[in-house]
């Protein structure tokens, strides 16, 4: 019997197959889609309140997946790596991720992790870095992204954002929430990022 978890995984697979960029194809080729499921209890977070709006503004190819997360988000096991001590309570109330596959996700994979990040409006995810190489594909437009010492620039839904190992990166949402798909490979897949930036006073 097909479950909502199977539906999520096949949705991710079809979504990723829509990207012809070399780096996206390279990451996708590293995913062995025959992954065993892992039993995880449903775990919601306050940031799920932003997903219906994210689904409403998601780009065309991203909408079915965003809609599934909006409708069934509370069936999944959401997590947070940071605490209020890192970036403040406002960040914690507006941030969360869902690991679809990986070392702790709904499907077991020790080689590559994939999932979704949610940030509410007007949130700064300060500069951070990690050993794993990372691919992000935002499902929503309107968020500013920064890599290394570069300036913030807005990335549209469906843009492929690649962070090499240990390159610092940051995101800053505006009036709309961010829903983004991520892939991690080549490092400890459940590692906490190293923070180099600050959310600033009260953030
Ligand atoms: Fe990252």
């Amino acid at each position: 019997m097909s479950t909502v978890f199977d539906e999520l995984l096949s949705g991710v697979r079809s979504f990723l197959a829509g990207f012809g960029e070399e780096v996206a194809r390279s990451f996708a080729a590293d995913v062995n889609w025959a992954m065993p499921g892992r039993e995880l209890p449903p775990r919601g977070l306050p940031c799920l309140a932003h997903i219906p709006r994210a689904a409403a503004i998601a780009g065309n190819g991203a909408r079915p997946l965003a809609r599934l997360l909006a409708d069934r988000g509370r069936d999944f096991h959401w997590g947070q790596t940071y605490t209020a001590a890192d970036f403040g309570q406002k960040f914690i109330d507006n941030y969360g991720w869902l690991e679809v596959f990986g070392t702790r996700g709904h499907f077991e994979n020790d080689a590559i992790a994939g999932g979704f990040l949610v940030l509410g409006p007007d949130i700064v995810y300060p500069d951070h870095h990690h050993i794993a190489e990372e691919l992000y594909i935002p499902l929503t437009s309107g968020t500013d992204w920064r890599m290394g010492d570069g300036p913030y620039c807005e990335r549209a839904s469906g843009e492929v954002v690649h962070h090499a190992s240990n390159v610092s990166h940051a995101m800053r949402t505006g009036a709309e929430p961010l829903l983004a798909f991520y892939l991690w490979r080549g490092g400890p897949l459940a590692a906490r990022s190293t923070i180099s930036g600050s959310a600033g006073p009260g953030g």
Side-chain angles (χ1 to χ4, degrees):
M1 199 184 83
S2 180
T3 66
V4 70
F5 307 103
D6 298 327
E7 197 181 335
L8 180 65
L9 186 64
S10 68
V12 163
R13 187 178 185 175
S14 325
F15 174 70
L16 199 49
F19 295 88
E21 289 83 349
E22 194 177 336
V23 69
R25 293 213 320 263
S26 160
F27 269 81
D30 276 359
V31 183
N32 173 359
W33 295 97
M35 294 173 256
R38 178 187 278 128
E39 289 282 331
L40 294 175
R43 178 180 187 247
L45 286 174
C47 71
L48 270 68
H50 299 298
I51 300 181
R53 177 61 189 163
I57 63 169
N60 280 337
R63 206 159 296 151
L65 204 40
R67 204 57 259 165
L68 176 66
L69 291 172
D71 293 343
R72 304 297 299 270
R74 296 199 173 272
D75 292 343
F76 304 123
H77 187 88
W78 292 80
Q80 294 181 319
T81 312
Y82 305 110
T83 67
D86 295 308
F87 302 138
Q89 190 61 41
K90 181 186 171 193
F91 183 91
I92 292 305
D93 290 343
N94 287 278
Y95 143 87
W97 46 255
L98 162 61
E99 188 174 288
V100 178
F101 52 86
T103 55
R104 56 193 166 168
H106 286 285
F107 293 87
E108 295 178 19
N109 197 314
D110 292 335
I112 188 161
F116 295 92
L117 171 74
V118 174
L119 291 179
D122 296 316
I123 293 295
V124 176
Y125 187 163
D127 285 312
H128 59 285
H129 60 274
H130 37 75
I131 295 169
E133 180 191 8
E134 179 178 61
L135 192 79
Y136 263 114
I137 305 175
L139 282 72
T140 54
S141 302
T143 295
D144 294 333
W145 296 67
R146 157 184 152 96
M147 181 164 64
D149 295 326
Y152 274 102
C153 65
E154 187 178 333
R155 302 284 197 170
S157 170
E159 277 196 57
V160 173
V161 182
H162 180 223
H163 299 136
S165 173
N166 277 327
V167 167
S168 81
H169 45 282
M171 294 89 120
R172 184 175 69 191
T173 56
E176 299 287 5
L178 169 71
L179 174 62
F181 177 68
Y182 69 82
L183 289 167
W184 268 36
R185 71 177 177 191
L189 296 181
R192 188 180 187 280
S193 295
T194 304
I195 302 162
S196 48
S198 157

Coordinates of all heavy atoms in Angstrom, one line a residue, residues 90-180:
K90 N 12.5 34.2 17.9 CA 11.8 34.5 16.7 C 12.2 33.5 15.6 O 11.4 33.0 14.8 CB 12.0 35.9 16.2 CG 11.2 36.3 15.0 CD 11.5 37.7 14.5 CE 10.9 37.9 13.1 NZ 11.5 39.1 12.4
F91 N 13.5 33.3 15.5 CA 14.0 32.3 14.5 C 13.5 30.9 14.7 O 13.0 30.3 13.8 CB 15.6 32.3 14.5 CG 16.2 31.4 13.5 CD1 16.6 31.9 12.3 CD2 16.5 30.1 13.8 CE1 17.1 31.1 11.3 CE2 17.0 29.2 12.8 CZ 17.4 29.8 11.6
I92 N 13.5 30.5 16.0 CA 13.1 29.1 16.3 C 11.6 28.9 16.0 O 11.2 27.9 15.5 CB 13.4 28.8 17.8 CG1 14.9 28.8 18.0 CG2 12.7 27.6 18.3 CD1 15.6 27.8 17.1
D93 N 10.8 30.0 16.2 CA 9.4 29.9 15.9 C 9.1 29.9 14.4 O 7.9 29.7 14.0 CB 8.6 31.1 16.6 CG 8.6 30.9 18.1 OD1 8.9 29.8 18.6 OD2 8.4 32.0 18.8
N94 N 10.1 30.2 13.6 CA 9.8 30.4 12.2 C 10.8 29.5 11.3 O 11.0 29.8 10.1 CB 10.0 31.9 11.8 CG 8.9 32.7 12.3 OD1 7.8 32.8 11.6 ND2 9.1 33.3 13.4
Y95 N 11.3 28.5 11.9 CA 12.3 27.7 11.2 C 12.1 26.2 11.5 O 11.7 25.8 12.6 CB 13.7 28.1 11.7 CG 14.7 27.0 11.8 CD1 15.5 26.6 10.8 CD2 14.9 26.4 13.1 CE1 16.5 25.6 10.9 CE2 15.9 25.4 13.2 CZ 16.7 25.0 12.2 OH 17.6 24.1 12.3
G96 N 12.4 25.4 10.5 CA 12.3 23.9 10.7 C 12.7 23.2 9.4 O 12.7 23.8 8.3
W97 N 13.0 22.0 9.5 CA 13.4 21.2 8.4 C 12.7 19.8 8.5 O 12.4 19.3 9.6 CB 14.9 21.0 8.1 CG 15.7 20.7 9.3 CD1 16.5 21.6 10.0 CD2 15.9 19.5 10.0 NE1 17.1 21.0 11.0 CE2 16.8 19.7 11.1 CE3 15.3 18.2 9.8 CZ2 17.2 18.7 12.0 CZ3 15.7 17.2 10.7 CH2 16.6 17.4 11.8
L98 N 12.6 19.2 7.4 CA 12.0 17.8 7.3 C 13.0 17.0 6.4 O 13.2 17.3 5.3 CB 10.6 17.9 6.6 CG 10.1 16.6 6.0 CD1 9.9 15.6 7.1 CD2 8.8 16.9 5.3
E99 N 13.6 16.0 7.1 CA 14.5 15.1 6.3 C 13.7 14.0 5.7 O 13.1 13.2 6.4 CB 15.6 14.6 7.2 CG 16.7 13.8 6.4 CD 17.9 13.4 7.2 OE1 18.7 14.3 7.6 OE2 18.0 12.2 7.5
V100 N 13.6 14.0 4.4 CA 12.9 13.0 3.7 C 13.7 11.7 3.7 O 13.2 10.6 4.0 CB 12.5 13.4 2.2 CG1 11.8 12.3 1.5 CG2 11.7 14.7 2.3
F101 N 15.0 11.8 3.3 CA 15.9 10.7 3.4 C 17.2 11.1 3.9 O 17.6 12.3 3.7 CB 16.0 9.9 2.0 CG 16.4 10.8 0.8 CD1 17.7 11.1 0.5 CD2 15.4 11.4 0.0 CE1 18.0 11.9 -0.5 CE2 15.7 12.2 -1.1 CZ 17.0 12.5 -1.3
G102 N 17.9 10.2 4.5 CA 19.2 10.5 5.1 C 19.4 9.6 6.3 O 18.8 8.6 6.5
T103 N 20.4 10.0 7.2 CA 20.7 9.1 8.3 C 19.6 9.2 9.4 O 19.7 8.5 10.4 CB 22.1 9.6 8.9 OG1 22.0 11.0 9.2 CG2 23.2 9.3 8.0
R104 N 18.7 10.2 9.3 CA 17.7 10.3 10.3 C 16.3 10.6 9.7 O 15.4 10.9 10.5 CB 18.1 11.4 11.4 CG 18.3 12.7 10.7 CD 19.0 13.7 11.5 NE 19.5 14.8 10.7 CZ 20.0 16.0 11.1 NH1 20.0 16.2 12.4 NH2 20.4 16.9 10.2
G105 N 16.1 10.5 8.4 CA 14.9 10.9 7.7 C 13.9 9.7 7.6 O 14.1 8.6 8.2
H106 N 12.8 10.0 6.9 CA 11.7 9.0 6.7 C 12.2 7.8 5.9 O 11.6 6.7 5.9 CB 10.5 9.6 6.1 CG 9.8 10.5 7.1 ND1 9.0 10.0 8.1 CD2 9.7 11.9 7.2 CE1 8.5 11.0 8.8 NE2 8.9 12.1 8.3
F107 N 13.3 8.0 5.1 CA 13.9 6.8 4.4 C 15.4 6.8 4.7 O 16.0 7.9 4.8 CB 13.6 7.0 2.9 CG 12.2 6.9 2.5 CD1 11.3 8.0 2.6 CD2 11.6 5.6 2.2 CE1 10.0 7.9 2.3 CE2 10.3 5.5 1.9 CZ 9.5 6.6 1.9
E108 N 15.9 5.6 4.8 CA 17.3 5.4 5.2 C 18.3 5.6 4.1 O 18.1 5.0 3.0 CB 17.5 4.0 5.8 CG 16.7 3.8 7.1 CD 16.9 2.3 7.6 OE1 17.9 1.7 7.2 OE2 16.0 1.9 8.3
N109 N 19.2 6.5 4.3 CA 20.3 6.7 3.3 C 21.5 7.2 4.0 O 21.4 8.3 4.6 CB 19.8 7.7 2.2 CG 20.7 7.6 0.9 OD1 21.9 7.6 1.0 ND2 20.0 7.5 -0.2
D110 N 22.6 6.5 3.9 CA 23.8 6.9 4.6 C 24.7 7.8 3.7 O 25.8 8.3 4.1 CB 24.6 5.7 5.0 CG 23.9 5.0 6.2 OD1 23.1 5.6 6.9 OD2 24.2 3.8 6.3
A111 N 24.4 7.9 2.4 CA 25.3 8.5 1.4 C 24.9 10.0 1.1 O 25.7 10.8 0.8 CB 25.3 7.7 0.1
I112 N 23.6 10.2 1.2 CA 23.1 11.5 0.8 C 21.8 11.8 1.5 O 21.0 10.9 1.8 CB 22.8 11.6 -0.8 CG1 22.5 13.0 -1.3 CG2 21.8 10.6 -1.3 CD1 22.7 13.2 -2.8
A113 N 21.6 13.0 1.9 CA 20.4 13.4 2.7 C 19.6 14.4 1.8 O 20.2 15.2 1.1 CB 20.7 14.0 4.0
G114 N 18.3 14.4 1.9 CA 17.5 15.3 1.2 C 16.2 15.7 2.0 O 15.7 14.8 2.7
G115 N 15.8 16.9 1.9 CA 14.6 17.3 2.6 C 14.2 18.7 2.3 O 14.7 19.3 1.3
F116 N 13.5 19.3 3.2 CA 12.9 20.6 3.0 C 13.3 21.5 4.2 O 13.3 21.1 5.4 CB 11.4 20.6 2.9 CG 11.0 19.8 1.7 CD1 10.7 18.5 1.7 CD2 10.9 20.5 0.5 CE1 10.3 17.8 0.6 CE2 10.5 19.8 -0.7 CZ 10.2 18.4 -0.6
L117 N 13.5 22.8 3.9 CA 13.7 23.8 4.9 C 12.6 24.8 4.8 O 12.2 25.2 3.7 CB 15.0 24.5 4.6 CG 15.3 25.8 5.5 CD1 15.6 25.4 6.9 CD2 16.4 26.7 4.9
V118 N 12.0 25.2 5.9 CA 11.0 26.3 6.0 C 11.6 27.5 6.8 O 12.1 27.2 7.9 CB 9.7 25.8 6.6 CG1 8.7 27.0 6.8 CG2 9.1 24.7 5.8
L119 N 11.4 28.7 6.3 CA 11.7 29.9 7.0 C 10.5 30.8 6.9 O 10.0 31.0 5.8 CB 12.9 30.6 6.5 CG 14.3 30.0 6.7 CD1 15.4 30.9 6.1 CD2 14.6 29.7 8.2
G120 N 10.0 31.4 8.0 CA 8.9 32.3 7.9 C 9.4 33.7 7.3 O 10.6 33.8 7.0
P121 N 8.5 34.6 7.1 CA 8.9 35.9 6.5 C 9.8 36.7 7.5 O 9.7 36.5 8.7 CB 7.6 36.7 6.4 CG 6.5 35.6 6.4 CD 7.1 34.5 7.3
D122 N 10.6 37.6 7.0 CA 11.5 38.4 7.8 C 12.4 37.7 8.8 O 12.5 38.1 9.9 CB 10.7 39.5 8.5 CG 9.9 40.4 7.6 OD1 10.5 40.9 6.6 OD2 8.7 40.6 7.8
I123 N 13.0 36.7 8.3 CA 14.0 35.9 9.1 C 15.3 35.9 8.4 O 15.5 35.8 7.2 CB 13.5 34.4 9.2 CG1 12.1 34.3 10.0 CG2 14.5 33.5 9.8 CD1 12.3 34.7 11.4
V124 N 16.4 36.0 9.3 CA 17.7 35.9 8.8 C 18.3 34.6 9.3 O 18.3 34.3 10.5 CB 18.6 37.1 9.3 CG1 20.1 36.9 8.8 CG2 18.1 38.4 8.8
Y125 N 18.8 33.8 8.4 CA 19.5 32.6 8.7 C 21.0 32.9 8.5 O 21.4 33.0 7.3 CB 19.1 31.4 7.8 CG 19.6 30.0 8.1 CD1 19.0 28.9 7.6 CD2 20.7 29.8 8.9 CE1 19.4 27.6 7.8 CE2 21.1 28.5 9.2 CZ 20.5 27.4 8.7 OH 20.9 26.2 8.9
P126 N 21.7 33.3 9.5 CA 23.0 33.9 9.4 C 24.0 33.0 8.7 O 23.8 31.8 8.6 CB 23.4 34.2 10.8 CG 22.2 34.2 11.6 CD 21.3 33.1 11.0
D127 N 25.2 33.5 8.4 CA 26.3 32.8 7.7 C 26.6 31.5 8.5 O 26.8 31.6 9.8 CB 27.5 33.7 7.7 CG 27.4 34.7 6.6 OD1 27.1 34.4 5.5 OD2 27.7 35.9 6.9
H128 N 26.6 30.4 7.8 CA 27.0 29.1 8.5 C 27.7 28.3 7.4 O 27.5 28.6 6.2 CB 25.8 28.5 9.0 CG 24.7 28.2 8.0 ND1 23.9 29.2 7.5 CD2 24.3 27.0 7.4 CE1 23.1 28.6 6.6 NE2 23.3 27.3 6.5
H129 N 28.4 27.3 7.8 CA 29.0 26.3 6.8 C 29.1 25.0 7.4 O 28.9 24.8 8.6 CB 30.4 26.9 6.4 CG 31.3 27.0 7.5 ND1 31.4 28.1 8.3 CD2 32.3 26.2 8.1 CE1 32.3 28.0 9.2 NE2 32.9 26.8 9.1
H130 N 29.3 24.0 6.6 CA 29.4 22.6 7.0 C 30.3 21.8 6.0 O 30.5 22.3 4.9 CB 28.0 22.0 7.1 CG 27.1 22.5 6.0 ND1 27.1 22.0 4.7 CD2 26.1 23.4 6.1 CE1 26.2 22.6 4.0 NE2 25.5 23.5 4.8
I131 N 30.7 20.7 6.4 CA 31.6 19.9 5.6 C 30.9 19.4 4.3 O 31.4 19.4 3.2 CB 32.2 18.7 6.4 CG1 33.1 19.2 7.5 CG2 33.0 17.8 5.4 CD1 33.5 18.2 8.5
A132 N 29.6 19.0 4.5 CA 28.9 18.4 3.4 C 28.7 19.4 2.3 O 28.6 20.6 2.5 CB 27.5 17.9 3.9
E133 N 28.7 18.9 1.1 CA 28.4 19.7 -0.1 C 26.9 19.8 -0.2 O 26.2 18.8 0.1 CB 29.0 19.0 -1.3 CG 28.8 19.7 -2.7 CD 29.2 18.8 -3.8 OE1 29.4 17.6 -3.6 OE2 29.1 19.2 -5.0
E134 N 26.4 20.9 -0.6 CA 24.9 21.1 -0.5 C 24.3 21.7 -1.8 O 24.9 22.5 -2.5 CB 24.7 22.1 0.6 CG 23.3 22.5 0.9 CD 23.2 23.4 2.1 OE1 23.7 24.5 2.0 OE2 22.5 23.0 3.1
L135 N 23.2 21.2 -2.1 CA 22.4 21.8 -3.2 C 21.1 22.2 -2.6 O 20.4 21.5 -1.9 CB 22.1 20.7 -4.3 CG 21.6 21.2 -5.6 CD1 22.7 21.7 -6.4 CD2 20.9 20.0 -6.3
Y136 N 20.7 23.4 -3.0 CA 19.4 24.0 -2.6 C 18.6 24.3 -3.9 O 19.1 24.9 -4.8 CB 19.5 25.3 -1.8 CG 19.5 25.2 -0.3 CD1 20.6 25.5 0.4 CD2 18.3 24.8 0.3 CE1 20.5 25.4 1.8 CE2 18.3 24.7 1.7 CZ 19.4 25.0 2.5 OH 19.3 24.9 3.8
I137 N 17.3 24.0 -3.8 CA 16.4 24.5 -4.9 C 15.2 25.1 -4.2 O 14.4 24.4 -3.6 CB 15.9 23.3 -5.8 CG1 17.1 22.6 -6.4 CG2 15.0 23.9 -6.9 CD1 16.7 21.4 -7.3
P138 N 15.1 26.4 -4.2 CA 13.9 27.0 -3.5 C 12.6 26.7 -4.3 O 12.7 26.7 -5.6 CB 14.2 28.5 -3.5 CG 15.3 28.7 -4.5 CD 16.0 27.4 -4.7
L139 N 11.6 26.5 -3.6 CA 10.3 26.3 -4.2 C 9.5 27.6 -4.3 O 8.5 27.7 -5.0 CB 9.4 25.2 -3.5 CG 9.8 23.8 -3.7 CD1 11.1 23.4 -3.0 CD2 8.7 22.8 -3.1
T140 N 10.0 28.5 -3.5 CA 9.4 29.9 -3.4 C 10.4 30.9 -3.8 O 11.6 30.8 -3.5 CB 8.8 30.2 -2.0 OG1 9.9 30.0 -1.1 CG2 7.7 29.3 -1.6
S141 N 9.9 32.0 -4.5 CA 10.8 33.1 -4.8 C 10.8 34.1 -3.6 O 10.0 34.0 -2.7 CB 10.3 33.8 -6.1 OG 10.3 32.9 -7.1
G142 N 11.7 35.1 -3.7 CA 11.6 36.3 -2.8 C 12.6 36.2 -1.7 O 12.6 37.2 -0.9
T143 N 13.4 35.2 -1.5 CA 14.4 35.1 -0.5 C 15.7 35.5 -1.1 O 16.1 35.2 -2.2 CB 14.5 33.7 0.1 OG1 13.2 33.4 0.7 CG2 15.6 33.5 1.1
D144 N 16.5 36.3 -0.3 CA 17.8 36.7 -0.6 C 18.8 35.6 -0.1 O 18.7 35.2 1.1 CB 18.2 38.0 0.0 CG 17.4 39.2 -0.6 OD1 16.9 39.0 -1.7 OD2 17.2 40.2 0.1
W145 N 19.7 35.2 -1.0 CA 20.7 34.2 -0.6 C 22.1 34.8 -0.8 O 22.4 35.7 -1.6 CB 20.6 33.0 -1.6 CG 19.3 32.3 -1.5 CD1 18.1 32.8 -1.9 CD2 19.1 30.9 -1.1 NE1 17.2 31.8 -1.7 CE2 17.7 30.7 -1.2 CE3 20.0 29.9 -0.6 CZ2 17.2 29.4 -0.9 CZ3 19.4 28.7 -0.3 CH2 18.1 28.4 -0.4
R146 N 23.0 34.4 0.1 CA 24.4 34.9 0.0 C 25.3 33.7 0.2 O 25.1 32.8 0.9 CB 24.6 35.9 1.2 CG 25.9 36.2 1.7 CD 25.8 37.2 2.9 NE 26.9 37.0 3.8 CZ 28.0 37.8 3.8 NH1 28.1 38.7 3.0 NH2 28.9 37.5 4.7
M147 N 26.5 33.8 -0.5 CA 27.5 32.8 -0.5 C 28.8 33.4 -0.3 O 29.1 34.4 -1.0 CB 27.4 31.9 -1.7 CG 28.4 30.7 -1.7 SD 28.0 29.5 -3.0 CE 28.2 30.4 -4.5
G148 N 29.7 32.8 0.6 CA 31.0 33.4 0.8 C 30.9 34.8 1.3 O 30.0 35.2 2.1
D149 N 31.7 35.7 0.7 CA 31.7 37.1 1.1 C 30.9 37.9 0.1 O 30.9 39.1 0.1 CB 33.1 37.7 1.1 CG 34.0 37.0 2.2 OD1 33.4 36.7 3.2 OD2 35.2 36.9 2.0
G150 N 30.1 37.2 -0.8 CA 29.3 37.9 -1.8 C 28.1 38.7 -1.2 O 27.8 38.5 0.0
P151 N 27.5 39.4 -2.1 CA 26.3 40.2 -1.6 C 25.1 39.2 -1.6 O 25.1 38.2 -2.2 CB 26.1 41.2 -2.7 CG 26.7 40.6 -3.9 CD 27.8 39.7 -3.5
Y152 N 24.1 39.7 -0.9 CA 22.8 38.9 -0.9 C 22.2 39.1 -2.3 O 22.2 40.2 -2.8 CB 21.8 39.5 0.1 CG 22.0 38.9 1.5 CD1 22.7 39.6 2.5 CD2 21.4 37.6 1.8 CE1 22.8 39.0 3.8 CE2 21.6 37.1 3.1 CZ 22.2 37.8 4.1 OH 22.4 37.2 5.3
C153 N 21.7 38.1 -2.9 CA 20.9 38.3 -4.1 C 19.7 37.4 -4.1 O 19.7 36.2 -3.6 CB 21.7 38.1 -5.4 SG 22.4 36.5 -5.6
E154 N 18.6 37.9 -4.7 CA 17.3 37.1 -4.7 C 17.4 35.9 -5.6 O 17.9 36.1 -6.7 CB 16.2 38.1 -5.0 CG 14.8 37.4 -4.8 CD 13.7 38.3 -5.2 OE1 13.8 39.5 -5.0 OE2 12.6 37.8 -5.5
R155 N 16.9 34.8 -5.1 CA 16.8 33.6 -6.0 C 15.4 33.3 -6.2 O 14.6 33.3 -5.3 CB 17.5 32.4 -5.2 CG 19.0 32.7 -4.9 CD 19.9 32.6 -6.1 NE 21.2 32.4 -5.7 CZ 22.2 32.1 -6.5 NH1 21.9 31.9 -7.8 NH2 23.4 31.9 -6.1
A156 N 15.1 32.9 -7.4 CA 13.7 32.6 -7.8 C 13.4 31.1 -7.5 O 14.3 30.3 -7.4 CB 13.5 32.9 -9.3
S157 N 12.2 30.8 -7.5 CA 11.7 29.4 -7.4 C 12.3 28.6 -8.6 O 12.3 29.1 -9.7 CB 10.2 29.4 -7.5 OG 9.8 28.0 -7.6
G158 N 12.9 27.5 -8.2 CA 13.5 26.7 -9.3 C 15.0 27.0 -9.7 O 15.5 26.3 -10.5
E159 N 15.6 28.0 -9.0 CA 17.0 28.2 -9.2 C 17.8 27.2 -8.4 O 17.4 26.8 -7.3 CB 17.4 29.6 -8.7 CG 17.1 30.7 -9.8 CD 17.9 32.0 -9.4 OE1 19.1 31.9 -9.3 OE2 17.2 33.0 -9.3
V160 N 18.9 26.7 -9.0 CA 19.7 25.7 -8.4 C 20.9 26.4 -7.7 O 21.6 27.2 -8.3 CB 20.2 24.7 -9.4 CG1 21.2 23.8 -8.7 CG2 19.1 23.9 -10.0
V161 N 21.0 26.3 -6.4 CA 22.0 27.0 -5.6 C 22.9 25.9 -5.0 O 22.5 25.0 -4.3 CB 21.3 27.7 -4.4 CG1 22.4 28.5 -3.6 CG2 20.2 28.7 -4.9
H162 N 24.2 26.0 -5.4 CA 25.2 25.0 -5.0 C 26.2 25.6 -4.0 O 26.8 26.6 -4.3 CB 25.9 24.5 -6.2 CG 27.0 23.5 -5.9 ND1 28.2 23.5 -6.5 CD2 27.0 22.4 -5.1 CE1 28.9 22.5 -6.1 NE2 28.2 21.8 -5.2
H163 N 26.3 25.0 -2.8 CA 27.3 25.4 -1.8 C 28.4 24.3 -1.7 O 28.1 23.1 -1.3 CB 26.7 25.6 -0.5 CG 25.6 26.6 -0.4 ND1 24.4 26.5 0.2 CD2 25.6 27.9 -1.0 CE1 23.7 27.6 0.0 NE2 24.4 28.4 -0.7
A164 N 29.6 24.6 -2.1 CA 30.7 23.6 -2.0 C 31.0 23.4 -0.5 O 30.6 24.2 0.4 CB 32.0 24.1 -2.7
S165 N 31.7 22.3 -0.2 CA 32.1 22.0 1.2 C 32.7 23.2 1.9 O 33.6 23.8 1.4 CB 33.1 20.8 1.1 OG 33.6 20.6 2.4
N166 N 32.2 23.5 3.1 CA 32.7 24.5 4.0 C 32.7 25.9 3.5 O 33.3 26.8 4.0 CB 34.2 24.2 4.4 CG 34.2 23.2 5.5 OD1 33.3 23.2 6.4 ND2 35.2 22.3 5.5
V167 N 31.9 26.2 2.4 CA 31.7 27.6 2.0 C 30.5 28.1 2.8 O 29.4 27.5 2.9 CB 31.3 27.6 0.5 CG1 30.8 29.0 0.0 CG2 32.5 27.2 -0.4
S168 N 30.7 29.3 3.3 CA 29.6 29.9 4.2 C 28.5 30.4 3.3 O 28.7 30.8 2.2 CB 30.2 31.0 5.1 OG 30.3 32.2 4.4
H169 N 27.3 30.3 3.9 CA 26.1 30.8 3.2 C 25.1 31.3 4.2 O 25.1 30.9 5.3 CB 25.6 29.7 2.2 CG 25.5 28.4 2.9 ND1 26.6 27.5 3.0 CD2 24.4 27.7 3.4 CE1 26.2 26.4 3.6 NE2 24.9 26.5 3.8
A170 N 24.2 32.1 3.7 CA 23.2 32.7 4.5 C 21.9 33.0 3.7 O 22.0 33.1 2.5 CB 23.7 34.0 5.1
M171 N 20.8 33.0 4.4 CA 19.5 33.4 3.7 C 18.8 34.4 4.5 O 18.9 34.5 5.7 CB 18.6 32.2 3.6 CG 19.1 31.1 2.7 SD 20.1 29.9 3.7 CE 19.2 28.4 3.4
R172 N 18.0 35.2 3.8 CA 17.3 36.3 4.4 C 15.9 36.4 3.7 O 15.8 36.7 2.5 CB 18.0 37.6 4.2 CG 17.5 38.8 4.9 CD 18.4 40.0 4.7 NE 18.5 40.4 3.4 CZ 19.4 41.3 2.9 NH1 20.3 41.8 3.7 NH2 19.4 41.7 1.6
T173 N 14.8 36.1 4.4 CA 13.5 36.1 3.8 C 13.0 37.5 3.8 O 13.4 38.3 4.7 CB 12.5 35.2 4.4 OG1 12.5 35.5 5.8 CG2 12.9 33.7 4.3
G174 N 12.1 37.9 2.9 CA 11.4 39.2 2.9 C 10.0 39.0 3.4 O 9.7 38.4 4.5
A175 N 9.0 39.5 2.6 CA 7.6 39.5 3.0 C 7.0 38.1 2.9 O 5.9 37.9 3.5 CB 6.8 40.5 2.1
E176 N 7.7 37.2 2.2 CA 7.1 35.9 2.0 C 8.0 34.8 2.7 O 9.2 35.0 2.8 CB 7.0 35.5 0.5 CG 6.1 36.5 -0.3 CD 4.6 36.3 -0.1 OE1 4.3 35.4 0.8 OE2 3.8 36.9 -0.7
P177 N 7.4 33.6 3.0 CA 8.2 32.6 3.6 C 9.0 31.9 2.5 O 8.8 32.0 1.3 CB 7.1 31.6 4.1 CG 5.9 31.8 3.2 CD 6.0 33.3 2.9
L178 N 10.0 31.2 3.0 CA 10.9 30.3 2.1 C 10.5 28.8 2.3 O 10.4 28.4 3.5 CB 12.3 30.5 2.4 CG 13.3 29.5 1.7 CD1 13.4 29.7 0.2 CD2 14.7 29.6 2.4
L179 N 10.3 28.1 1.2 CA 10.2 26.7 1.3 C 11.3 26.2 0.3 O 11.2 26.6 -0.9 CB 8.8 26.1 0.9 CG 8.7 24.6 0.7 CD1 9.0 23.9 2.1 CD2 7.3 24.2 0.2
A180 N 12.3 25.5 0.7 CA 13.4 25.1 -0.2 C 13.6 23.6 0.0 O 13.5 23.0 1.1 CB 14.6 25.9 0.1

